Amino acid sequence: MRHPHPSLRSPSLTKLIAMALLTGCLALMAGCTGGASNEENALPEVNINGGAERSFTDEELASHDGSGFFPTTFTFEELLEKYEISSGTPTEGGFSAGGYLVQDAPDGSLTPGLYHLNGSQEAMSTFLVYQSAADDEGRYTLKYPIGYFGFSVARFETGDVVLFKPASEDLLMASLPDPSDLGPFTAPYLSGIYQAGVDIPAGTYTVTQEPQSAEGLIEAHDSVPGAYIWANLTYGPGSKLSATELPPVAEGGVTEEVTVEEGQYLELFGCRATPKEA
């Protein structure tokens, strides 16, 4: 989860909260992994409560789930209209672009569980997850937005609303019964999210910008490539363990090192990772 312009970044903030505070626009921080700007994937503005005029400590922001910044609630139909998408359609190969209500119903609908979301190395895909609003039946509030290159993996829960906007209409999301079904992967590892010990070996990696994603990063509001380590796929408070952002694409060629431990998830956004030689 998912990258603000370098002049707006604050390393102690989650990507979601940093962009919400500094822009007040969901389109500029689409997810814990970036923000789309091309017309097809652009996300509408969402008014936030507070904003840059409010003051927060680093500790408050680092542990916040974002709910206080997005107090507005919507019905499922209002969300479809707001994000200009249709109700999603299950297909033989997975779930197409659109909006879904996650429910315990074995009828082909989106059920709770782990999902693999296809994407592109060249253009950013997005998906947003809303959750049931407390004491407001039939309405939903933002849980988290995600932007990604390559592919993403997420765990959806009963009652969630998932708004899936891939880079192209032929890209699908599909149930992932076993996380090990993602691989096998070979180095260098391109944009995506990988579990150490399952998809890739635990250890230290050198991370550099991915040439395929350069144009897509610029289109995504001058987003910057980066490597992020997550404890789990809930993308909630405390899930992000570290963030290593690279300079803007125009300053390409910079390499950083990250270390991921067994069981942790390494998210690559617009960059590639190569195991460091011993």
Side-chain angles (χ1 to χ4, degrees):
M1 182 216 53
R2 201 184 250 63
H3 303 266
H5 187 279
S7 64
L8 300 179
R9 289 202 307 273
S10 173
S12 62
L13 312 184
T14 65
K15 286 172 278 184
L16 166 62
I17 301 303
M19 293 309 291
L21 288 175
L22 295 168
T23 67
C25 175
L26 204 56
L28 294 186
M29 59 80 199
C32 300
T33 51
S37 66
N38 57 324
E39 183 176 350
E40 180 181 356
N41 286 311
L43 304 180
E45 291 187 2
V46 176
N47 292 326
I48 62 173
N49 181 22
E53 66 272 12
R54 293 185 63 185
S55 297
F56 300 89
T57 67
D58 286 352
E59 290 75 14
E60 288 172 335
L61 290 169
S63 63
H64 205 288
D65 63 3
S67 58
F69 300 107
F70 299 93
T72 307
T73 64
F74 306 90
T75 66
F76 180 70
E77 290 72 22
E78 288 170 343
L79 286 170
L80 297 182
E81 180 179 0
K82 175 173 286 293
Y83 291 101
E84 299 179 346
I85 58 176
S86 302
S87 183
T89 304
T91 70
E92 184 176 347
F95 297 86
S96 62
Y100 297 88
L101 178 61
V102 181
Q103 50 192 334
D104 295 296
D107 58 359
S109 60
L110 199 66
T111 55
L114 195 64
Y115 285 82
H116 171 259
L117 297 95
N118 265 308
S120 165
Q121 294 291 340
E122 291 78 30
M124 200 183 76
S125 302
T126 61
F127 69 96
L128 301 93
V129 178
Y130 277 72
Q131 62 189 348
S132 296
D135 303 321
D136 202 351
E137 186 176 356
R139 302 188 69 84
Y140 303 89
T141 185
L142 184 67
K143 192 174 185 179
Y144 58 80
I146 297 288
Y148 64 95
F149 286 91
F151 67 92
S152 189
V153 179
R155 186 174 297 279
F156 302 139
E157 300 176 326
T158 301
D160 285 346
V161 167
V162 178
L163 306 170
F164 179 45
K165 302 189 71 170
S168 60
E169 292 294 322
D170 62 318
L171 297 171
L172 305 175
M173 63 177 171
S175 176
L176 187 63
D178 188 335
S180 64
D181 291 341
L182 281 175
F185 298 103
T186 57
Y189 306 108
L190 305 186
S191 293
I193 185 162
Y194 307 87
Q195 186 176 23
V198 177
D199 304 313
I200 61 174
T204 299
Y205 290 83
T206 56
V207 179
T208 190
Q209 295 172 7
E210 171 51 49
Q212 293 182 74
S213 307
E215 185 174 346
L217 284 163
I218 292 172
E219 290 178 348
H221 292 278
D222 289 329
S223 293
V224 297
Y228 302 85
I229 297 178
W230 299 88
N232 53 57
L233 297 174
T234 63
Y235 305 119
S239 178
K240 188 178 72 172
L241 301 177
S242 70
T244 302
E245 293 183 339
L246 301 176
V249 172
E251 303 171 23
V254 176
T255 298
E256 299 285 353
E257 289 187 1
V258 297
T259 298
V260 57
E261 299 178 1
E262 192 93 7
Q264 295 176 347
Y265 294 86
L266 174 63
E267 179 198 1
L268 303 173
F269 179 79
C271 59
R272 61 170 60 194
T274 304
K276 183 181 179 182
E277 295 182 4

